[in-house]
Amino acid sequence: MRRRLLVALTVFAAIAVLAFAVPLSLTIATSRTQQLVLARSGDADRFANLADAAVSGGDSRALADEVNRYHELYGENVLVVDARGATAVNAGADGTDPDIVAAVAAARRNQRPHAVAKLTPWGARTMLVARPVGTGVQVNGAVVIEASTARARGDITRDWAIIAVGGMVAMTLFMVLAVTLSRWVLRPLAALSHAVAQLTATLPKPRADTVAPVSLAGRHGGPPEMRALAESFDAMALAVADSADAQRQLVADTAHAMRNPLAALTIRLDSLEPSIPRSAASTFRGAGAEVDRLTALLDGLLSLAVAETPAAFDRTRIADAHCDAVQVVADRFDAWCSAFVAADQELRVASPSPARAEVAVSAEVLAQILDVPLSNATRYAGPRARTELAVVTEPGWVVLSVHDDGAGVRSDEIDKLTTRFFRGSAARAGGSGLGLPIAAALAQARGGTLTVHAERPHGLAVLVRLPAAVAG
């Protein structure tokens, strides 16, 4: 993976360097070409003016002297012809060269000079600059300068070499940065992949009937190292999920299997009751109470295992289930009124309530969820406490709350109330500490949440947030 990353970074770096170096090199070549053309065009215009003066005055000695000095000083050839095309002054030029002949003919016709090709280090050694002698109406000859491009090409070569060296330095810096970056990024990834592979090797193999989800590697692809890491994560997630399912199934099987011996023990204790002497009656009743508590605990474990096991639910039935939360709240109010009266407490339904609140949960499950906080309120809120049921609708959600103004729970224990087997320090004897965890698991299995909050100035509130049923 590091090699592929380095190749990709190198390609991007080369593209960036070339995108800067190539236009800069072409700009330098164009600028140097224009400088040479402008300089020689000025010289040609000066010779054309001298030639025009020589034609007017009938004396070409000054023109010849100037041309010869120019040839000796710069080493460039100059040819001046008269109106008939005859050579007037020649300083080293080959009058029979086809290019020079064509340039003279074009200048005598007063044609616009052709654009000079851009110079390159490997380009032509000379370039021709031609100008007509006289005005556009009367052309009295032509001047042609055969300019050397050696110096201009040398400048371009030097500048291009500097750009090339700068590009190589930039590429070297890019490569150093790419190597450093790839090591910084991939070193922890390699260590993570190795650690995950070692951990996966120690996990138990998934059961044959376990349905494997679509793998990350199959869904997203990627480099072989990333696919190997994704496959290790897939295997680890599958093994962990399978272990969690097996654990929940073990709890359910154990609770179910122990119910029969407990039922038999209860029958035996009941049959022994007439034979128990009066001195041991209290001990016998305590043993019966402990059996009843153990039975309730096993029932709670079985309910919790069922609530937390996704495979235990019929997904189609869950998706199609819905009920009116307002009606379920009214039913639970009727069912629990007598229990609250017996506990010297008050139960009421908050008003105003919505006319209907369709929630994507069956009436039986919603009633089971609400029964837990209602039962806790009757047992722990205390005498003369008031408990209120409320239903609130939100976009896409239905929120049900059970809140009381009773004794409440200590602030450091609020977040622990949905933990298995946890019971508040103020709770009296009895209870298994599984009611709220079961209700929370039921809500979570249906896409909702159950949270517990403290009421002000005292009391407790249980909020159940469930998805609203989709109107169909």
Side-chain angles (χ1 to χ4, degrees):
M1 183 174 179
R2 176 177 298 173
R3 183 169 55 253
R4 284 184 293 273
L5 181 59
L6 288 176
V7 169
L9 292 177
T10 302
V11 171
F12 290 146
I15 292 175
V17 170
L18 290 176
F20 173 78
V22 172
L24 180 61
S25 301
L26 296 178
T27 300
I28 290 174
T30 301
S31 176
R32 191 64 183 87
T33 302
Q34 291 175 349
Q35 289 177 7
L36 180 60
V37 170
L38 290 174
R40 297 303 177 263
S41 296
D43 294 338
D45 290 336
R46 183 165 60 87
F47 289 141
N49 291 332
L50 291 174
D52 192 36
V55 171
S56 300
D59 185 3
S60 62
R61 287 179 298 177
L63 173 62
D65 292 341
E66 189 71 22
V67 169
N68 289 325
R69 282 197 302 269
Y70 183 85
H71 175 68
E72 292 173 358
L73 181 61
Y74 296 107
E76 295 182 348
N77 303 326
V78 181
L79 175 64
V80 182
V81 299
D82 57 18
R84 295 173 298 174
T87 301
V89 179
N90 188 349
D94 184 3
T96 62
D97 189 328
D99 293 335
I100 295 178
V101 172
V104 169
R108 290 179 60 203
R109 291 192 297 269
N110 200 18
Q111 292 181 350
R112 183 182 298 273
H114 297 290
V116 179
K118 186 183 301 180
L119 293 177
T120 58
W122 53 86
R125 295 184 177 182
T126 60
M127 61 182 296
L128 298 178
V129 178
R131 286 292 183 274
V133 176
T135 63
V137 178
Q138 179 66 38
V139 177
N140 297 322
V143 176
V144 176
I145 297 178
E146 189 178 15
S148 173
T149 61
R151 185 174 179 180
R153 288 186 293 110
D155 294 342
I156 294 174
T157 301
R158 183 195 66 234
D159 293 340
W160 283 18
I162 293 174
I163 294 174
V165 171
M168 294 299 297
V169 171
M171 284 295 299
T172 302
L173 293 177
F174 274 128
M175 288 299 299
V176 172
L177 179 61
V179 171
T180 304
L181 181 63
S182 63
R183 288 179 178 175
W184 180 68
V185 171
L186 298 180
R187 186 177 298 166
L189 180 62
L192 176 63
S193 179
H194 181 68
V196 171
Q198 286 185 328
L199 177 60
T200 304
T202 63
L203 294 175
K205 300 299 180 183
R207 300 192 305 268
D209 58 345
T210 302
V211 179
V214 180
S215 66
L216 293 174
R219 185 186 305 124
H220 301 291
E225 294 85 353
M226 294 300 297
R227 291 199 299 270
L229 180 60
E231 289 172 358
S232 298
F233 267 106
D234 292 337
M236 181 175 66
L238 189 61
V240 171
D242 187 70
S243 298
D245 289 340
Q247 180 184 13
R248 286 190 290 264
Q249 190 62 41
L250 175 63
V251 172
D253 293 343
T254 302
H256 188 272
M258 292 183 65
R259 292 186 57 164
N260 291 334
L262 282 175
L265 180 59
T266 301
I267 294 174
R268 290 179 181 272
L269 288 176
D270 291 341
S271 64
L272 287 175
E273 185 174 6
S275 304
I276 298 299
R278 182 175 300 177
S279 59
S282 60
T283 303
F284 178 80
R285 287 192 297 271
E290 290 299 325
V291 171
D292 293 339
R293 184 173 179 272
L294 184 57
T295 301
L297 181 61
L298 290 176
D299 290 340
L301 285 175
L302 184 59
S303 299
L304 182 61
V306 171
E308 290 184 341
T309 305
F313 294 100
D314 183 348
R315 289 298 180 184
T316 303
R317 181 174 60 83
I318 290 178
D320 295 337
H322 63 90
C323 68
D324 180 12
V326 176
Q327 182 60 49
V328 173
V329 167
D331 293 341
R332 302 329 296 158
F333 174 79
D334 293 338
W336 282 92
C337 266
S338 57
F340 275 84
V341 171
D344 192 19
Q345 297 177 12
E346 179 185 354
L347 177 64
R348 62 184 181 183
V349 177
S351 61
S353 295
R356 289 184 64 84
E358 291 291 329
V359 64
V361 175
S362 66
E364 294 79 7
V365 172
L366 184 56
Q368 186 177 356
I369 294 174
L370 292 177
D371 283 346
V372 173
L374 290 172
S375 175
N376 289 344
T378 60
R379 301 171 65 181
Y380 306 123
R384 293 181 295 281
R386 290 184 300 177
T387 302
E388 186 174 78
L389 281 162
V391 180
V392 178
T393 57
E394 298 176 356
W397 298 91
V398 176
V399 180
L400 300 98
S401 63
V402 180
H403 52 93
D404 62 68
D405 59 357
V409 178
R410 284 169 30 187
S411 59
D412 59 333
E413 297 179 344
I414 291 290
D415 295 335
K416 301 177 183 179
L417 291 179
T418 54
T419 304
R420 301 176 190 176
F421 303 110
F422 179 81
R423 299 176 66 249
S425 57
R428 299 188 299 272
S432 60
L434 293 175
L436 284 175
I438 292 173
L442 290 172
Q444 186 176 4
R446 286 152 179 84
T449 58
L450 184 146
T451 56
V452 183
H453 305 280
E455 287 282 87
R456 294 292 179 267
H458 51 79
L460 198 68
V462 178
L463 302 181
V464 182
R465 193 167 186 261
L466 296 169
V470 178

